[in-house]
């Protein structure tokens, strides 16, 4: 007795189509590629989002809770809103360095600091800080919202800003000077 078994061979190439249309993967990619650690300080981490995709373009930071700073913070807030620039005011207690670190951690691209020179000197100026380089310039309060808007939409670079405005090295007047006037 002879039994014949006939078998057919069918080749199958496995493949998977994984349609993913959500924003999750894009966000994870952005988080991974923008997460940074400050050189020389492993505890200082931040997101270096390009300003165009940063959740907040700017933070407004009064140096302290001094009531003399309130009108300038209000002026800046109104101008930022008028220019469609997303911003965050952080007037909490704590050192300015700690508040800068907090805003850096969430990827805020720029920071405006209202200090005693803003109050005591005319024209009224404040500092503008770049998150990535940590360098600062000093400019008139009325000019800052336009500068931040142009930086945030990419029509101005930080290098151009540094070439137009003086670098900020340190505050000239302090709390004592403000009390004397």
């Amino acid at each position: 007795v002879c039994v014949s078994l006939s078998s057919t061979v069918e080749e199958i190439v496995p493949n998977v189509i994984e349609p993913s249309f959500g924003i999750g993967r894009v966000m994870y990619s952005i988080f991974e590629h923008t997460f940074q650690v400050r050189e020389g300080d492993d505890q200082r981490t931040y997101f270096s989002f390009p300003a165009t995709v940063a959740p907040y373009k700017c933070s407004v930071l009064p140096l302290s809770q001094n009531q003399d700073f309130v009108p300038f913070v209000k002026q800046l807030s109104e101008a930022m809103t008028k220019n469609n620039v997303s911003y965050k005011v952080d007037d909490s207690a704590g050192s300015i360095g700690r508040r800068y670190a907090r805003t850096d951690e969430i990827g805020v691209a720029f920071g405006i600091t209202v200090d005693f020179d803003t109050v005591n000197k005319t024209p009224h100026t404040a500092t503008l800080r770049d998150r990535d380089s940590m360098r600062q310039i000093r400019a008139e309060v009325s000019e800052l919202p336009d500068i931040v808007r142009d930086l945030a939409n990419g029509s101005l670079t930080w290098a151009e800003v540094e070439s137009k405005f003086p670098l900020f090295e340190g505050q000239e007047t302090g709390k004592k000077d403000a009390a004397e006037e």
Side-chain angles (χ1 to χ4, degrees):
V1 174
C2 200
V3 179
S4 171
L5 295 174
S6 92
S7 65
T8 59
V9 176
E10 184 180 339
E11 289 188 31
I12 298 174
V13 177
N15 55 38
V16 175
I17 297 174
E18 184 179 345
S20 176
F21 299 104
I23 195 165
R25 290 182 182 201
V26 173
M27 291 303 298
Y28 290 135
S29 177
I30 290 171
F31 289 150
E32 181 180 348
H33 292 296
T34 61
F35 184 77
Q36 305 289 326
V37 177
R38 292 263 183 235
E39 209 170 296
D41 188 357
D42 293 342
Q43 300 301 311
R44 297 265 322 260
T45 58
Y46 65 102
F47 283 108
S48 65
F49 298 125
T52 54
V53 298
Y56 293 107
K57 310 305 181 204
C58 186
S59 59
V60 178
L61 308 165
L63 190 61
S64 69
Q65 294 181 341
N66 187 316
Q67 289 303 304
D68 294 338
F69 298 151
V70 172
F72 297 102
V73 171
K74 185 176 180 184
Q75 176 187 350
L76 285 164
S77 295
E78 289 171 355
M80 292 291 189
T81 301
K82 186 176 179 181
N83 279 326
N84 293 321
V85 174
S86 59
Y87 66 95
K88 176 178 178 36
V89 175
D90 184 355
D91 57 0
S92 62
S95 73
I96 193 71
R98 191 163 288 172
R99 288 187 285 151
Y100 275 143
R102 249 193 326 253
T103 60
D104 291 350
E105 285 176 343
I106 61 170
V108 178
F110 306 102
I112 296 174
T113 304
V114 176
D115 57 20
F116 290 103
D117 284 349
T118 307
V119 175
N120 296 331
K121 293 188 172 191
T122 315
H124 300 291
T125 62
T127 63
L128 176 64
R129 175 184 179 266
D130 174 55
R131 173 203 54 223
D132 295 338
S133 68
M134 295 193 318
R135 293 169 59 100
Q136 298 180 55
I137 57 102
R138 188 153 203 106
E140 287 189 36
V141 171
S142 59
E143 292 178 290
L144 288 170
D146 292 336
I147 294 169
V148 172
R149 180 199 60 218
D150 293 345
L151 284 166
N153 69 24
S155 62
L156 186 64
T157 66
W158 183 255
E160 291 170 330
V161 170
E162 281 189 356
S163 70
K164 292 179 187 176
F165 297 96
L167 285 177
F168 176 70
E169 301 297 332
Q171 187 172 309
E172 293 180 23
T173 62
K175 199 174 194 174
K176 187 181 271 186
D177 296 331
E180 292 172 0
E181 290 186 0

